Every structure is written in structure tokens, then in C-alpha cells.
Amino acid sequence: MNWQYTAYAYPMVFAAVVAAVLSAYAVRFVRRRGRNPTVVSFAVLTAAVAFWTATTAVKLLLVDPGAKLFAYKLLHVGAMTAAPTFFVFALAYTGRRELLDRYVVASLYVVPAVFLVVLFTNPLELGYTGWQLSTVDGVTTLSVTDGPVSVFGLVYGFVLLFLGLGVIGQYAVELDRPYRTQATLLLVGMVVPSVVAALELTGAPPLAGGVNLIPASLAVPSVTFGIAVYRYKLLDILPLAYAAAGAHSTDGLVVLDADEVVVHVNDHVRPLLGADGPLLGRPASEAVPNYGDLAGDAPTCDALVAGERYVELTRIPLGRGGDSIGWVVSVRDVTPRKRYELALESRNDELEVLNRIVRHDIRNDMQLVTAYIDIVLTHEPLSDEARSQLETALRRALNTVDLTDVLGQLMRATNDDERRRPLDVGDAVREAVEDVREAYPNATFAVGDLPSATVFANDLLDSVFVNVLKNAVVHSDRDEPSIAVAGTADGERVSVRIADDGPGISDERKAVVFGKGAKGLESPGTGTGLYLVDTIVSNFGGTVHIEDNDPRGSVFVIELPLATVEAAD
């Protein structure tokens, strides 16, 4: 393979090396500090530029026509990737991450993908209509006549490029001078190759004909981006997005230097802290209430201001080049939330005492009552009327014991401190079936396919299925009820269906059967079992509803979000 020498390749090689170094730095940054849309898109952008400029330099240095044409096609992989990636970078850098939906981002690369397929295969000369070699200043160059798809791809790339420049430019003019420098470096870096590209593609002097200097001009953004990364900490601090967010924030912001002295505050701080005198120049321990609580591993705390208002303080460290240069303390009014939390804590304490009394004292007393009644019924001669009355009393006493159990489960269901963990729904259903089958030997339980589906829940998950299964047996009008259990799962949720052959539930009752205290006529239950089911399932992020069974009976459908989906949210 023959090669030629030309000085035109120097800036291309320089741009490729610098861009590759920046991409490697960004990748290392992601590995150390985690994925970040701005850093990830920056890594991809600089990698695309490195590939683009490197393959262009190779194309320029080659002499063989076939090799030059292949290098020409290959360089467009980097070129066509760069434009949409720069637009994604601009959105992430300026804080518009709500637009970075994965489907939106993927759609930006559809045109480049089609362009590359057409360019490499060139069906019906849609990619290019011809090519030829020519010599300019002693350098053999390749001239390619673009086809319609290539023209469309180039226009598309320019549109995304200028949209990205507009997004960054709009934010740059709104910011203070220290932050504007960083944005200006990005803009200047991209404007220079944009102008060169416009002159090259339109054939305007002084770049009409000759060697394609667009890749060579990428040496400019390689330098300006490098300065922005290493001198102005583009990837570390991202002042553009953070400054814009701070300017529109309703929170108070207190900036401290390395000696923890106040050097800057925004307009919201003084009313939030109830400060009368000046804050600038004062130690943080004097200017910020409860500042000492932010030391160590506790970056957030609540403080009572003026005896009537609560604020949440959050201390965020500022660093540069591995050195600490100060902190930012955000101040947020959380008075309604704090008062609600205090009221909730007080109510929970009262409910816990009540729960302890009901479950411990009343339950123990009622168990003693049921034991004595059972002894009398078993060992004492009784009249039919007396036996009937004692059996009624025994049923009511057992019902009271069950009610105390349900009350305890309701307390746990509404307690956020109940630790949740990944649980397999299939295992929980099978265990519930065995428990109910043992308690009701006259009932038949058919367990169908149950998927291996994991949800975030706690031990109350068993109570959900036990209560629904018991409800199906207790409310059945058959001597030997039949209950069928099955489940399915998709990519987001698991659904468990518990079908019975009982009398069914009317549409009017379906709407209220999960209400507190709701129960059917002549129901032997407490009326809280299904309310407990609905409460627990709702706290797990799921739903429960009733459908009609065929030919008779009801189907309880319990749906819960899969653990993987919940974790991603």
C-alpha cells in the first residue's frame, strides 16, 4: 500500500490525538464517579471526532484509489455520529435533561444510520454518483460527487449542529462572566469548523477545491474543549447548568469559602433564616443556624428559625483539581412538612400504644375467654339453648381475636419502617395456599402456573394472599369450595388471579367491597380482611380488583410492580 506525505495531515492527527485523550479522560471520569448524561455524551462526541479526524488523515495519506474510497466511507462513521451527539451534549450540558428520553435520543441517530448504510452499499447511486482522483499542490486527493441521500445527511448534520450551538448560546448570554467563559470556549470551538464546513461545501473562496480542511479545523474545538475540561472543570462542576438552576431556584443559597466564611448569598436567604444583620463575612457557625449539625457524614439537617419556621439545610462541597475550595449551603422552607411529620410521629406513638393494648391485653383476655368457653362446651352438660348461646359467644370471641390480628397487620401495613426486601411472589402464593388448605380441609385448591417474579415487599405479602383465599372459602355457598390460583408476569408487573366458584359479587358490591368495614350479608368475617388486602397492596405500589368468574363466582386479581421496574424508577 502506497503512502504520500503532506503537511495537511498534521492538524488532523493533532485533533485526533487530543480528542482521543479527552474521550479517555471522560471515560475514566464516568468509571470513577458514575454515569452522567453530560459526561457520557462528551465521551462519545470526542471519540467520534477522534475517529473522524484519524480516518481522514489516513485517507489523505493513502494513494491507492480503492483504499482512499474505503477510508472516505469509513470517516463518515465519526462525522455522522458527531452531529447528533453534539446536540445531545448541548441538551445535557444546559440542564435540559427532560428531553433526553432514550427514544428521543435513539431517533436522532436514525438518519445517520440510514446514511451510512446507503453510503457503503450505494444502491441506485443514492450515496454518491461518482468519484475521481486529482492532484492539488502535489497531493493526490479524492473528489466524490454526493448522491441525494448524502446531501440530506449533510443537511441533517448541519441542522443538529446549529441547534446545539443555539442551545448553548442562549444560556451563555444569560450567565455571569465567570460561567460565560466556559460556554464561550465550547461555542468558539464548534463555530470554527462550522464556518469551514460551510465554505467547503458551498465552494466559496478561499477554500474552494483542494484538500478538505473540515477535519483539520477540528483541531480548534479539540483545543478549546481541552481548556474547558482541564482549566474550567467542564466535567467536574458544569457551572452553566448549575448557575442557571441557582438563578431560578426559590431556595436560599449560602456560599462558603475554604475557611467556612460566608462569601455570597442569594436574595432568598435572609427571609428564610430570619437574619437581621449582614451575612457576608460572618463565620458559617454564626450565620447559619444548626450549622454544626452538618459536620461529618450528615450533610442535611433541619433547623427551627425564630421559633416558628423550619428550614432544611444541605451542605454541598465544592472542589477543584482534588482540592476543597468551599461549600454551598442550600436553605429550604419545610415548615408544612416538618409540622406534618411531628403530628404524624405523635399520632403513631398514640396508635402504637393503642395497638399494644389491643393486641396484648385484649387479645390475651379474649384467648382466656375462648379457652374457658371451650372447656365448658367440652366437659360440662348443657342444655341445647345454653350450648347454642355459648357457641355464639365463642364465635364472637374468636372473631375478636382475629380482629386484633388484623389491627396489628394494618398498623404494620401503614408503617413505612417495615423493612422491604425482594420476595418471590410464587413462593408467597404457594405458602399462603398451604396455610389456608390446612385451616379449611373441606376446600379444594388448584395451583396453576406461577411465574418466578420478584417484588419489593415484606412479610405482609403473605397476608394478602391468605386473606383473599380465606375470603373465597368463607363466603362460598358450597360445602366443598373450589379455588383456582394462577399467575402471569410481563416486563413490568406480576398478576396473581384467585378464582372461586362461590355466589359471586355484584357490580355494585365490587366498587365498595374493599372499603373499611365492608362485608356481605350474613358474613361471618370482621369486614376488614379485604380492606387490609387493598391497603397492603397499595403500599406495595400495586392494585387489586374483582372480575366475574365463568360460569359463576369471582376472580380476585392482584397486580404488583416487579422489583426491577421499581428499582429503575
Side-chain angles (χ1 to χ4, degrees):
M1 186 176 295
N2 297 324
W3 300 85
Q4 62 182 343
Y5 168 80
T6 173
Y8 288 118
Y10 289 159
M12 301 178 191
V13 173
F14 173 79
V17 171
V18 174
V21 170
L22 292 176
S23 182
Y25 178 82
V27 170
R28 182 169 176 268
F29 189 96
V30 170
R31 290 178 176 175
R32 288 200 329 262
R33 306 192 187 182
R35 294 172 63 88
N36 177 294
T38 304
V39 181
V40 171
S41 57
F42 182 83
V44 176
L45 174 62
T46 48
V49 170
F51 186 84
W52 180 8
T53 50
T55 51
T56 303
V58 170
K59 178 184 78 74
L60 183 61
L61 295 174
L62 287 170
V63 176
D64 180 72
K68 271 184 172 294
L69 182 62
F70 179 75
Y72 167 81
K73 296 178 181 179
L74 201 60
L75 69 86
H76 282 87
V77 174
M80 292 305 297
T81 302
T85 306
F86 175 71
F87 182 61
V88 171
F89 168 76
L91 294 178
Y93 176 70
T94 56
R96 305 188 185 201
R97 300 187 182 182
E98 70 278 1
L99 300 177
L100 296 180
D101 177 87
R102 58 181 179 179
Y103 297 108
V104 174
V105 173
S107 66
L108 294 175
Y109 292 89
V110 172
V111 171
V114 173
F115 173 92
L116 292 172
V117 171
V118 171
L119 181 64
F120 275 87
T121 58
N122 199 31
L124 303 177
E125 295 189 337
L126 294 175
Y128 54 92
T129 59
W131 60 276
Q132 62 180 5
L133 295 181
S134 58
T135 302
V136 179
D137 297 332
V139 178
T140 300
T141 62
L142 176 71
S143 299
V144 179
T145 304
D146 294 326
V149 173
S150 294
V151 173
F152 179 78
L154 293 174
V155 172
Y156 176 79
F158 267 99
V159 170
L160 290 183
L161 174 64
F162 286 116
L163 283 176
L165 291 173
V167 168
I168 296 177
Q170 177 189 356
Y171 265 29
V173 297
E174 298 176 357
L175 300 177
D176 294 334
R177 182 176 178 180
Y179 305 115
R180 193 176 299 163
T181 302
Q182 188 186 92
T184 301
L185 286 169
L186 298 178
L187 291 173
V188 170
M190 295 306 297
V191 165
V192 170
S194 300
V195 172
V196 172
L199 295 175
E200 285 276 3
L201 296 176
T202 58
L207 301 179
V211 178
N212 183 356
L213 296 180
I214 298 176
S217 67
L218 293 174
V220 176
S222 298
V223 173
T224 59
F225 276 43
I227 296 173
V229 168
Y230 290 103
R231 173 66 178 85
Y232 293 97
K233 303 300 177 183
L234 169 69
L235 304 184
D236 297 83
I237 301 177
L238 301 178
L240 185 60
Y242 290 141
H248 296 87
S249 173
T250 58
D251 295 343
L253 296 177
V254 181
V255 181
L256 310 175
D257 62 13
D259 296 323
E260 299 185 84
V261 174
V262 178
V263 295
H264 175 73
V265 295
N266 68 355
D267 295 337
H268 302 296
V269 168
R270 293 175 61 83
L272 285 172
L273 296 182
D276 295 329
L279 296 176
L280 296 180
R282 296 176 60 185
S285 57
E286 298 178 5
V288 181
N290 291 29
Y291 181 75
D293 295 340
L294 297 174
D297 296 330
T300 300
C301 72
D302 294 335
L304 179 62
V305 179
E308 60 181 16
R309 185 172 62 256
Y310 289 92
V311 294
E312 180 185 70
L313 306 175
T314 303
R315 188 173 74 161
I316 306 167
L318 296 176
R320 178 181 296 158
D323 299 325
S324 176
I325 61 174
W327 293 268
V328 173
V329 178
S330 69
V331 185
R332 174 173 297 179
D333 190 339
V334 293
T335 302
R337 187 204 74 190
K338 191 66 177 180
R339 288 176 177 170
Y340 176 76
E341 288 177 354
L342 294 174
L344 193 60
E345 289 177 4
S346 177
R347 191 193 73 171
N348 285 342
D349 291 340
E350 295 172 356
L351 288 176
E352 184 58 35
V353 173
L354 177 61
N355 179 46
R356 194 178 302 116
I357 292 173
V358 171
R359 297 202 64 204
H360 184 268
D361 298 341
I362 296 180
R363 193 176 192 278
N364 287 350
D365 289 345
M366 292 309 300
Q367 285 180 329
L368 185 62
V369 170
T370 58
Y372 280 134
I373 294 176
D374 189 60
I375 291 173
V376 172
L377 288 171
T378 304
H379 300 288
E380 298 295 330
L382 300 170
S383 65
D384 291 342
E385 183 178 358
R387 181 172 296 278
S388 176
Q389 291 173 347
L390 283 176
E391 287 175 348
T392 299
L394 180 60
R395 285 195 301 272
R396 295 302 177 91
L398 292 173
N399 198 38
T400 302
V401 173
D402 290 341
L403 185 60
T404 59
D405 288 338
V406 171
L407 177 60
Q409 293 181 46
L410 280 172
M411 288 290 295
R412 293 178 60 197
T414 55
N415 185 1
D416 290 336
D417 292 334
E418 281 293 322
R419 187 176 299 278
R420 299 183 186 183
R421 62 189 186 280
L423 293 176
D424 187 273
V425 173
D427 291 342
V429 172
R430 281 184 281 269
E431 291 177 6
V433 169
E434 291 304 316
D435 290 342
V436 179
R437 178 183 282 135
E438 183 177 347
Y440 299 95
N442 62 312
T444 300
F445 297 90
V447 180
D449 293 335
L450 292 172
S452 178
T454 303
V455 299
F456 279 119
N458 51 38
D459 294 335
L460 292 174
L461 181 62
D462 292 340
S463 298
V464 171
F465 303 118
V466 168
N467 274 282
V468 174
L469 290 167
K470 283 185 176 180
N471 183 80
V473 176
V474 170
H475 291 278
S476 178
D477 56 354
R478 297 178 180 270
D479 294 333
E480 296 182 356
S482 295
I483 293 93
V485 182
T488 58
D490 55 24
E492 298 182 353
R493 302 176 77 82
V494 57
S495 176
V496 177
R497 300 174 65 86
I498 300 177
D500 62 60
D501 60 350
I505 301 175
S506 65
D507 292 339
E508 293 78 9
R509 293 289 301 164
K510 288 187 182 74
V512 298
V513 72
F514 295 105
K516 186 187 299 184
K519 61 180 181 179
L521 296 176
E522 307 300 329
S523 170
T526 63
T528 55
L530 293 183
Y531 173 73
L532 173 66
V533 168
D534 185 61
T535 300
I536 296 174
V537 171
S538 296
N539 286 344
F540 292 161
T543 60
V544 56
H545 66 276
I546 304 172
E547 299 175 358
D548 292 328
N549 198 10
D550 186 23
R552 73 191 305 263
S554 302
V555 181
F556 282 74
V557 183
I558 301 152
E559 295 183 336
L560 295 167
L562 294 177
T564 52
V565 175
E566 185 172 313
D569 293 340

